[in-house]
């Protein structure tokens, strides 16, 4: 192997090691975030749902499903969006453009957070919340608990999967718009950003 090639390979290996170390830190952070968010959502649903009527319980399950679908759309949109229009918007000082560029530059992490952390947690929580709702429905209607739970969890799964499939399609086709609207909302939490 020639000296130039050895040097190039050596630089590549150093770059890979640096990236691997960064990934280990990111995985640790995302795991901790997932633990905290999951605990918070689970605690909320487990303490609130048993104490509310069936209609409120169903509404809360639907809200969890919709949050999961929405964040799944954002995760897909960030990876599919084009960065170029946001640079132009940022030059014109349009609110949210700078945030969109930051999100796009970290698309892998944003997508992982939106799809894997929020999206998956909402899927899990909506499923467990559905079981609580099923118990309430079965008790109030004196229906078979097994069939009621089976039906409600199947409906939740179908709504989640169908909603995410539709959401992904929309996110692919309207990725720039979705990223811009999401970034515009986030820009209100970044002082001095437009």
């Amino acid at each position: 192997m020639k000296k130039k090639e050895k040097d190039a390979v050596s630089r590549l290996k150093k770059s890979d090691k640096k990236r691997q170390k960064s990934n280990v830190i990111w995985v640790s952070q995302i795991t901790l975030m997932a633990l905290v968010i999951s605990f918070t959502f689970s605690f909320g649903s487990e303490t609130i749902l048993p104490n509310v009527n069936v209609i409120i319980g169903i509404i809360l399950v639907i809200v969890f499903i919709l949050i999961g679908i929405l964040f799944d759309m954002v995760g897909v949109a960030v990876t599919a969006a084009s960065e170029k229009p946001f640079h132009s918007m940022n030059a014109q000082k349009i609110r949210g453009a700078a945030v969109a560029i930051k999100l796009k530059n970290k698309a892998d992490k944003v997508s992982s957070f939106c799809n894997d952390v929020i999206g998956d947690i909402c899927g899990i929580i909506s499923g467990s919340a559905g079981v609580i709702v099923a118990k309430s429905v079965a008790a109030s209607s004196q229906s078979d608990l097994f069939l009621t739970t089976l039906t409600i969890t199947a409906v939740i799964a179908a709504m989640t999967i169908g909603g995410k499939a539709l959401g992904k399609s929309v996110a692919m086709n309207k990725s720039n718009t979705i990223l811009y609207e999401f970034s515009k909302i986030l820009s209100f939490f970044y002082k001095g950003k437009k």
Side-chain angles (χ1 to χ4, degrees), residues 90-122:
N90 192 37
Q92 298 172 39
K93 305 288 186 207
I94 295 175
R95 178 179 282 283
V99 174
I101 293 167
K102 285 183 179 184
L103 292 175
K104 185 63 187 163
N105 287 334
K106 296 180 184 272
D108 60 331
K109 293 178 181 177
V110 173
S111 176
S112 180
F113 178 78
C114 290
N115 296 80
D116 301 332
V117 177
I118 302 298
D120 290 353
I121 288 172
C122 284

Side-chain angles (χ1 to χ4, degrees), residues 70-71 74-75 77-78 96 99-100 103 110 113-114 175-190:
L70 180 67
F71 273 87
V74 170
V78 169
V99 174
L103 292 175
V110 173
F113 178 78
C114 290
S175 57
N176 288 344
T177 304
I178 291 169
L179 176 56
Y180 171 64
E181 294 298 333
F182 184 68
S183 299
K184 198 164 61 169
I185 292 166
L186 287 182
S187 71
F188 288 100
F189 301 100
Y190 290 100

Side-chain angles (χ1 to χ4, degrees), residues 10-155:
S10 175
R11 285 192 301 273
L12 285 175
K13 287 181 180 180
K14 284 180 184 177
S15 174
D16 286 346
K17 281 183 183 179
K18 185 178 179 183
R19 194 174 297 133
Q20 188 176 7
K21 183 179 179 182
S22 173
N23 284 342
V24 168
I25 293 169
W26 166 247
V27 168
S28 300
Q29 290 173 334
I30 201 80
T31 302
L32 184 61
M33 276 192 277
L35 177 69
V36 170
I37 293 168
S38 181
F39 182 84
T40 304
F41 280 17
S42 292
F43 180 78
S45 72
E46 293 292 326
T47 54
I48 293 170
L49 281 172
N51 302 316
V52 297
N53 68 35
V54 174
I55 301 298
I56 300 291
I58 292 169
I59 290 169
L60 287 174
V61 169
I62 291 169
V63 167
F64 277 120
I65 292 169
L66 292 175
I67 290 170
I69 292 168
L70 180 67
F71 273 87
D72 201 61
M73 287 175 66
V74 170
V76 171
V78 169
T79 57
S82 172
E83 191 175 330
K84 189 176 178 182
F86 296 107
H87 284 289
S88 175
M89 292 168 70
N90 192 37
Q92 298 172 39
K93 305 288 186 207
I94 295 175
R95 178 179 282 283
V99 174
I101 293 167
K102 285 183 179 184
L103 292 175
K104 185 63 187 163
N105 287 334
K106 296 180 184 272
D108 60 331
K109 293 178 181 177
V110 173
S111 176
S112 180
F113 178 78
C114 290
N115 296 80
D116 301 332
V117 177
I118 302 298
D120 290 353
I121 288 172
C122 284
I124 292 164
I125 301 295
S126 64
S128 63
V131 171
I132 295 170
V133 169
K135 287 179 181 177
S136 295
V137 169
S140 64
S141 66
Q142 295 182 351
S143 57
D144 182 59
L145 178 62
F146 175 75
L147 288 175
T148 305
T149 304
L150 188 65
T151 303
I152 289 177
T153 55
V155 169

